[in-house]
Amino acid sequence: MKIKPLQDRLVIKRIEEEEKTKGGIIIPDSAKEKPQEGRVVAVGDGKTLESGKEGTVDGEAWDKILFGKVFGTEIKIDGEEHLIMREDDVLCHC
């Protein structure tokens, strides 16, 4: 399915964390936290500014980003989990 977010929203696919630590300890699913790192899948056109001009979104598809734990709305696209979040919720591009 092709998805196009509205305004300044981004569609993000989380990057899964490793199953083991560097020391070789296997982390059980119950102890894992959801990763705060992801790749941009789709980008909106930008929101309309107060001046009436169309703003731009700072990000492109496949950019790697970091975001906070409580940001975004979880959705499923073709059976895979994704997040939709506003550009303001992105902490940094990597």
Side-chain angles (χ1 to χ4, degrees):
M1 169 194 312
K2 186 172 180 171
I3 188 165
K4 178 70 174 172
L6 300 175
Q7 297 182 344
D8 66 334
R9 291 179 177 86
L10 306 167
V11 177
I12 309 296
K13 178 150 177 55
R14 289 184 195 263
I15 297 174
E16 296 301 322
E17 292 183 351
E18 295 294 321
E19 300 285 325
K20 290 189 217 178
T21 64
K22 290 182 182 180
I25 299 171
I26 297 174
I27 303 169
D29 288 338
S30 60
K32 288 183 187 175
E33 291 187 13
K34 290 191 175 184
Q36 295 173 265
E37 186 175 18
R39 290 233 179 251
V40 177
V41 175
V43 180
D45 293 328
K47 61 183 171 184
T48 304
L49 305 174
E50 290 180 17
S51 63
K53 294 182 180 179
E54 189 75 22
T56 60
V57 178
D58 183 25
E60 297 178 10
W62 306 113
D63 278 356
K64 189 174 178 183
I65 62 164
L66 298 177
F67 50 89
K69 289 184 180 182
V70 295
F71 296 115
T73 302
E74 293 183 356
I75 62 166
K76 281 196 176 189
I77 302 172
D78 296 331
E80 295 184 16
E81 289 190 20
H82 290 74
L83 289 171
I84 295 180
M85 66 177 58
R86 291 195 174 272
E87 179 186 21
D88 294 342
D89 296 338
V90 174
L91 301 176
C92 68
H93 292 267
C94 305

